[in-house]
Amino acid sequence: MVEYLEVGIGGRRASARLAAVTFITGRGKSAFLEVLYKVLSNVGKKIPRIGGEWELHVQGGDVVYSIVASKNRIRQTVSIRGEEVVFEHMPSRGVHRVVKPINIAVSSADVVIPEIKTEEHVSLVAEEDIERLNSLLAEARRALSVDTQFLGPYIAPKSLVDASTTHVAKLDSHGRNLAAVLANIALYKPSTYDSIRAAFRKLGFSISVGLAKPGKLGVIVATKKRKMPLAKAPCSIKSLLTILTALHLEPDILLVDNLDYCLTPETAGVLVSTIKQKPVKLVAEIHNSDIAKWFDAVDKSIIKVEL
């Protein structure tokens, strides 16, 4: 699990030690979340394209990882219990190398925490070093391969989705597929579905998901006076249902851009109750720092960034 992180953009840096809820305020908040999400969600995959000069440093347990990207060079440093492995990738020249603790060309240094693979002839001693280093790199990938969910900056779930999408288990960034995810939860995790519905009953709303018309799944929101499709529900209810569903999916880290969009003290209270019960770290960008007062019942931190 990631415990500490530092994001840099264009020479400016901002750091955070993650609490149960970490609020991001200031300038460049969305860019902070973008770098964090794109790197952590691509461990073991190609380095994401992020414009300009940027860097990320993260720590989780015995693993410290950093990636520094400029126009012509991407440098990754992986440290496990003090032993460092450093990769360099120069996209314009097609260069892929390990430069520390050995200096050798590799097949791909354009992957987040790569594996050392080489087609060059190496000595038996070097082969043993490579095998040991790959074991350390695999350990680093396991430590930092966290399940990361991103929502925002605006949440706009659809009332209806194709009924063939019932096996969708992850929300898209705007929550448009919420009906499909809820249907999947109702089918395979009924107790979780009941917990979500119970939270809304405390607010005076009833939530149900099912076949709304031939070939279409839908979410219905109801009060004592009326029923409405999800898209017609109050903004605070749509936003809460999406974020609450994401929390119940239990990613390691939930990143929410523009958390205060439509948030109310009542809906914040529902989120606090859920956060207390879940092993999820919420990292949320907010415009109004007073929002943080609504989360006094949980371990939280407030970070001001200037990126």
Side-chain angles (χ1 to χ4, degrees):
M1 170 57 76
V2 173
E3 300 156 357
Y4 172 84
L5 58 93
E6 182 177 294
V7 174
I9 297 177
R12 295 176 178 267
R13 291 186 176 187
S15 62
R17 189 166 295 279
L18 296 185
V21 180
T22 303
F23 292 106
I24 310 298
T25 67
R27 185 177 61 188
K29 306 180 294 293
S30 295
F32 182 98
L33 294 184
E34 178 191 11
V35 171
L36 181 58
Y37 175 69
K38 286 188 172 180
V39 175
L40 290 183
S41 61
N42 282 286
V43 171
K45 303 175 185 176
K46 292 291 186 181
I47 294 170
R49 292 189 177 185
I50 301 173
E53 296 185 354
W54 59 273
E55 56 190 276
L56 174 67
H57 308 265
V58 297
Q59 180 177 352
D62 293 330
V63 177
V64 179
Y65 169 74
S66 70
I67 177 169
V68 180
S70 61
K71 182 179 179 181
N72 299 314
R73 187 190 306 266
I74 299 173
R75 186 180 181 94
Q76 297 184 77
T77 303
V78 185
S79 177
I80 307 98
R81 292 180 293 277
E83 184 164 6
E84 281 191 349
V85 184
V86 181
F87 295 88
E88 283 197 349
H89 173 48
M90 300 180 189
S92 61
R93 296 170 56 185
V95 173
H96 299 258
R97 297 194 71 84
V98 175
V99 297
K100 184 181 178 181
I102 55 178
N103 194 328
I104 189 171
V106 295
S107 59
S108 58
D110 57 349
V111 169
V112 178
I113 312 183
E115 181 180 0
I116 300 174
K117 293 182 179 179
T118 178
E119 296 178 357
E120 294 182 9
H121 174 72
V122 295
S123 68
L124 183 60
V125 173
E127 285 182 354
E128 292 175 350
D129 284 342
I130 290 171
E131 184 177 350
R132 180 179 58 81
L133 293 174
N134 274 331
S135 178
L136 292 173
L137 292 167
E139 181 181 341
R141 284 192 293 273
R142 287 192 297 272
L144 299 182
S145 291
V146 294
D147 182 10
T148 309
Q149 168 78 63
F150 185 95
L151 294 175
Y154 297 104
I155 292 173
K158 294 181 178 180
S159 295
L160 299 174
V161 297
D162 196 308
S164 65
T165 59
T166 54
H167 295 292
V168 176
K170 189 166 186 176
L171 291 160
D172 66 38
S173 61
H174 298 291
R176 287 175 293 229
N177 64 341
L178 176 60
V181 174
L182 274 177
N184 186 71
I185 291 174
L187 184 61
Y188 296 105
K189 298 180 179 180
S191 61
T192 299
Y193 178 60
D194 289 343
S195 296
I196 294 172
R197 298 184 71 202
F200 277 86
R201 282 196 294 271
K202 293 178 181 178
L203 298 176
F205 289 86
S206 173
I207 304 293
S208 59
V209 61
L211 197 63
K213 60 171 67 173
K216 295 291 183 180
L217 289 169
V219 177
I220 297 297
V221 179
T223 65
K224 290 182 178 180
K225 295 182 177 180
R226 60 179 295 209
K227 291 183 178 181
M228 66 201 89
L230 179 59
K232 299 293 185 180
C235 177
S236 60
I237 296 301
K238 290 186 289 189
S239 178
L240 174 61
L241 182 56
T242 306
I243 298 171
L244 189 63
T245 299
L247 287 170
H248 276 282
L249 292 173
E250 297 190 7
D252 296 307
I253 300 176
L254 173 59
L255 305 170
V256 181
D257 193 351
N258 202 15
L259 175 69
D260 41 4
Y261 176 66
C262 297
L263 191 69
T264 68
E266 293 74 23
T267 56
V270 173
L271 294 180
V272 167
S273 296
T274 305
I275 290 167
K276 286 181 176 180
Q277 303 169 30
K278 300 295 179 182
V280 182
K281 290 189 181 294
L282 173 63
V283 182
E285 181 264 355
I286 57 174
H287 299 84
N288 180 3
S289 58
D290 289 340
I291 295 293
K293 297 176 182 177
W294 298 347
F295 291 77
D296 280 345
V298 295
D299 175 34
K300 67 180 181 181
S301 64
I302 304 173
I303 307 300
K304 185 174 182 180
V305 306
E306 294 294 337
L307 296 174

